[in-house]
């Protein structure tokens, strides 16, 4: 049977080894350049470098926070400062609520407990609502912190204004929006490496503890020696500062 030569079945001539290695090297270089252009500050390295306690992001919340703050303060410094102001402001006013209740005409323990129950119910509703929004990705942690700061600022301004209706409304508002510690812990969790996470969460706890120790004494001093509305006014101003920090 005669042999028929077919061009489509002819074996292709193998490329030289040097040409194949050069092509592979060019492809690897292009891939590294592409990864480097999409990696923020890592210069082509696929694994991010933590630096000052800032680590890999699990979702986009901590990434957006770091992009805004990395040139000024790391997240591990900003959040303890925010928590310190927050808890200090709360500690200025909460021990004095009984005095504000009396000034508003609430004298019986039964009425005070109803107000506390109103706050607790509002906190449950607000926690469920804000938690579902952040878990679904519709609202970022940073946005929740902003809502918390501005809402609590308004609430303590209403306490300073006096009166029964503003006082009741302030307890509802602060119950709905006051979730600073929970949101800050979640944001710090997605912004740090697992091996450093316990250290930085400990800093949050330490800041809140110190603030709650100093706050009541300073608040009572202001109430007695400066003015009865001064602790609530100062607390409202501190929450306004927190809104700027966020």
């Amino acid at each position: 049977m005669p042999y028929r030569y077919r061009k489509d079945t002819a074996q292709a001539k193998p490329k030289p080894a040097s040409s194949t290695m050069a092509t592979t090297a060019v492809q690897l270089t292009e891939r590294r350049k592409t990864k480097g252009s999409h990696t923020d500050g890592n210069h082509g390295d696929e694994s991010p470098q933590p630096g000052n306690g800032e680590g890999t992001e699990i979702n986009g919340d901590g990434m957006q926070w770091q992009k805004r703050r990395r040139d000024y303060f790391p997240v591990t410094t900003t959040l303890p400062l925010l928590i310190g102001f927050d808890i200090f402001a709360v500690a200025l006013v909460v021990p004095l609520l009984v005095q504000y209740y009396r000034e508003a005409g609430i004298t019986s323990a039964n009425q005070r407990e109803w107000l506390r129950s109103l706050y607790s119910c509002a906190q449950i509703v607000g926690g469920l609502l804000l938690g579902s929004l952040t878990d679904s990705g519709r609202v970022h942690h940073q946005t929740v912190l902003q809502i918390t700061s501005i809402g609590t600022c308004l609430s303590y301004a209403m306490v300073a204004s006096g009166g029964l209706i503003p006082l009741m409304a302030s307890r509802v508002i602060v119950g709905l929006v006051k979730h600073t510690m929970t949101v800050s812990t979640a944001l710090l969790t997605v912004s740090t490496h697992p091996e450093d996470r316990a250290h930085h969460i400990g800093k949050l706890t330490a800041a809140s503890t110190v603030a709650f120790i100093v706050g009541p004494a300073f608040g009572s001093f202001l109430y007695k020696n400066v003015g009865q509305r001064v602790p609530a006014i100062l607390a409202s101003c501190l929450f306004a500062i927190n809104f700027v920090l966020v």
Side-chain angles (χ1 to χ4, degrees):
M1 184 175 180
Y3 173 78
R4 296 182 181 179
Y5 178 80
R6 294 179 60 184
K7 292 183 179 181
D8 55 349
T9 57
Q11 194 173 20
K13 199 174 195 180
K15 294 182 180 180
S18 59
S19 176
T20 304
M21 293 177 63
T23 304
T24 305
V26 170
Q27 292 175 352
L28 289 175
T29 304
E30 291 178 353
R31 289 178 183 176
R32 288 175 182 174
K33 288 181 179 179
T34 303
K35 290 179 181 179
S37 63
H38 292 288
T39 306
D40 186 13
N42 292 328
H43 305 289
D45 189 0
E46 189 174 0
S47 59
Q49 302 297 326
N52 297 329
E54 298 183 33
T56 309
E57 300 301 330
I58 298 177
N59 54 37
D61 297 332
M63 180 68 74
Q64 290 184 3
W65 177 281
Q66 288 184 15
K67 283 181 179 179
R68 291 187 58 188
R69 297 299 179 186
R70 67 175 183 267
D71 295 332
Y72 303 98
F73 300 102
V75 62
T76 52
T77 301
T78 307
L79 283 180
L81 185 63
L82 186 145
I83 287 296
F85 284 163
D86 182 281
I87 302 300
F88 180 74
V90 171
L92 287 174
V93 178
V94 169
L96 300 173
L97 281 178
V98 176
Q99 302 297 329
Y100 292 126
Y101 289 158
R102 289 177 182 173
E103 293 174 7
I106 301 173
T107 56
S108 68
N110 191 22
Q111 292 174 330
R112 290 196 298 268
E113 294 305 320
W114 272 108
L115 276 179
R116 291 178 182 176
S117 300
L118 192 65
Y119 165 77
S120 300
C121 293
Q123 195 171 39
I124 293 173
V125 173
L128 292 174
L129 179 61
L130 293 177
S132 62
L133 290 176
T134 53
D135 290 343
S136 63
R138 297 178 182 177
V139 177
H140 296 298
H141 290 126
Q142 177 189 354
T143 306
V144 176
L145 288 176
Q146 290 174 337
I147 295 173
T148 297
S149 298
I150 197 65
T152 315
C153 175
L154 176 62
S155 172
Y156 284 110
M158 296 174 72
V159 172
S161 68
L164 179 60
I165 300 301
L167 190 59
M168 293 177 62
S170 71
R171 302 313 294 162
V172 174
I173 293 173
V174 75
L176 288 173
V177 301
K178 187 69 176 67
H179 304 283
T180 313
M181 193 67 183
T182 304
V183 178
S184 298
T185 303
L187 184 57
L188 191 64
T189 300
V190 301
S191 302
T192 54
H193 282 304
E195 57 269 18
D196 301 327
R197 192 166 297 152
H199 169 71
H200 295 301
I201 291 179
K203 289 169 62 178
L204 283 186
T205 306
S208 64
T209 302
V210 172
F212 209 83
I213 290 173
V214 178
F218 191 66
S220 62
F221 173 81
L222 293 177
Y223 184 88
K224 183 178 180 180
N225 298 288
V226 181
Q228 296 180 351
R229 307 296 179 187
V230 174
I233 294 173
L234 179 58
S236 181
C237 294
L238 287 175
F239 282 109
I241 294 174
N242 271 1
F243 179 78
V244 176
L245 286 176
V246 175

